[in-house]
Amino acid sequence: VTGVQTCALPISSTIILVEHGQVYLRSTAALRIARHLGWPWKLMSVCLIVPRPLRDLVYDAVASVRHRLFGRTDACELPSDAIRQRLI
């Protein structure tokens, strides 16, 4: 696929973003993705000014309880036709 890059990182249950050739992990990746989302998620990117170690502590805390907060499913939801048209 054109534009997709690979990198040698240990794969775990974390979020990884490769943007303009730069690799971002954990809270930095999530907040940089939030920049591209609509209101109110875009506002979350202001948290990038918080030092990364502190952000990652919060990221890890939320990640450790996310299934209790948001539930867990055995399968991924299939996107609607409207959303499917927006995917690459």
Side-chain angles (χ1 to χ4, degrees):
V1 177
T2 305
V4 174
Q5 298 176 357
T6 60
C7 56
L9 289 173
I11 301 299
S12 63
S13 59
T14 190
I15 188 168
I16 300 170
L17 171 67
V18 179
E19 185 177 47
H20 306 295
Q22 181 72 33
V23 178
Y24 301 100
L25 304 173
R26 298 165 72 195
S27 65
T28 306
L31 293 171
R32 291 183 71 88
I33 289 168
R35 284 182 175 174
H36 301 285
L37 301 176
W39 174 264
W41 300 108
K42 187 177 281 216
L43 283 178
M44 292 298 294
S45 66
V46 76
C47 293
L48 285 166
I49 63 172
V50 175
R52 185 177 47 85
L54 189 58
R55 288 193 327 255
D56 283 347
L57 279 174
V58 173
Y59 176 90
D60 291 340
V62 171
S64 70
V65 296
R66 71 182 184 271
H67 295 301
R68 283 182 274 173
L69 294 173
F70 305 112
R72 183 179 201 139
T73 60
D74 293 331
C76 295
E77 182 179 338
L78 293 174
S80 66
D81 288 335
I83 293 175
R84 195 174 295 141
Q85 291 175 2
R86 295 173 48 195
L87 301 175
I88 297 175

